[in-house]
Amino acid sequence: MQKAGLLRGCCAQVWKSLRMASSGGARRDPLANKVALVTASTDGIGFAIARRLAQDGAHVVVSSRKQQNVDRAVATLQGEGLSVTGTVCHVGKAEDRERLVATAVKLHGGVDILVSNAAVNPFFGNMLDATEEVWDKGLGPYNVSKTALLGLTKNLALELGPRNIRVNCLAPGLIKTSFSSVFWTDKAREDSVKEAMRIGRIGKPEECAGIVSFLCSEDASYINGETVVVGGGTPSRL
């Protein structure tokens, strides 16, 4: 009986350790000593990603096309005790992209730089600037641009892999942001959308952020050229 008790105690301790490791409880600040560039990061999914990367130890550079949005996001995150700076950046403009990267280089100090969005957004930077245009003109051009990102991810992963640069893609489903408000501000439309989701609810920006942090961490060091879908089980059209 004593041996059985010891065995149960040992198994419980091992199981606790495994649970902590899988949940990240065994390690803190997995992105410490890294700098993260996150474009379009003053609202919605981008803002949630910036917050999570900073919470996980990275120094984050947020950016947006409007100075007031950058100032507001930086003030909010710094108010939470996070290491964040910001700069204005329109990813469709070469000079803005260069300034964004230069900001990170100044902070680099020999540590790794993580890039979110900045490597791929310039390709589509001037396609559609306003939310209203997306819905007024239909989702065709928007959907095509996002589908192209899947191929671009594969291609960049192949090209940049030899330089020890990994490229992965996040594919959000319907997430509750101002951009997607046309789908959830109307109750009837929201209920119709939920019917197509296996989870039966609209996602939150924070539910995308953890995936990005994982992909930027050493836990994902052997993941390259992949697309992670965060869509609540919504059937894919691809």
Side-chain angles (χ1 to χ4, degrees):
M1 292 294 292
Q2 185 178 6
K3 289 183 179 180
L6 290 173
L7 182 60
R8 283 196 299 270
C10 180
C11 289
Q13 184 61 40
V14 170
W15 177 242
K16 181 180 179 181
S17 298
L18 288 172
R19 282 191 303 165
M20 289 181 65
S22 65
S23 65
R27 289 185 301 160
R28 299 185 65 182
D29 299 334
L31 302 180
N33 298 321
K34 298 182 185 295
V35 175
L37 308 182
V38 189
T39 60
S41 52
T42 59
D43 191 24
I45 296 174
F47 182 76
I49 289 172
R51 171 182 276 147
R52 178 57 183 267
L53 295 181
Q55 288 173 340
D56 286 348
H59 180 87
V60 176
V61 182
V62 300
S63 70
S64 176
R65 289 176 294 177
K66 297 181 179 180
Q67 185 68 58
Q68 62 266 33
N69 293 344
V70 173
D71 293 342
R72 183 181 65 249
V74 169
T76 299
L77 296 176
Q78 287 183 346
E80 297 173 6
L82 301 174
S83 180
V84 177
T85 56
T87 183
V88 172
C89 178
H90 188 312
V91 293
K93 298 179 179 179
E95 61 272 23
D96 281 15
R97 298 196 301 271
E98 291 170 2
R99 184 175 62 251
L100 177 65
V101 174
T103 301
V105 170
K106 290 180 182 178
L107 300 167
H108 188 258
V111 298
D112 294 335
I113 295 180
L114 313 173
V115 180
S116 173
N117 289 336
V120 295
N121 272 354
F123 189 68
F124 308 109
N126 296 317
M127 179 172 251
L128 292 168
D129 287 331
T131 302
E132 291 79 7
E133 287 189 69
V134 175
W135 311 128
D136 290 344
K137 295 182 178 180
L139 287 173
Y142 179 80
N143 289 341
V144 169
S145 75
K146 296 305 180 183
T147 303
L149 285 177
L150 305 182
L152 185 61
T153 297
K154 294 288 186 183
N155 188 69
L156 288 176
L158 181 64
E159 290 184 3
L160 300 177
R163 303 184 191 181
N164 200 31
I165 297 174
R166 295 184 297 108
V167 181
N168 292 297
C169 179
L170 174 74
L174 183 57
I175 306 297
K176 186 167 282 190
T177 65
S178 57
F179 181 78
S180 66
S181 61
V182 67
F183 289 110
W184 52 266
T185 51
D186 179 77
K187 185 64 167 57
R189 179 174 289 178
E190 180 182 6
D191 291 341
S192 176
V193 167
K194 287 179 179 179
E195 290 180 3
M197 299 178 177
R198 293 185 177 92
I199 289 183
R201 64 176 176 81
I202 297 175
K204 298 175 289 186
E206 293 76 17
E207 292 176 300
C208 297
I211 297 296
V212 174
S213 183
F214 162 71
L215 290 174
C216 290
S217 73
E218 291 303 313
D219 288 332
S221 60
Y222 202 56
I223 299 177
N224 194 23
E226 301 298 336
T227 295
V228 179
V229 178
V230 182
T234 305
S236 174
R237 291 182 173 84
L238 300 178

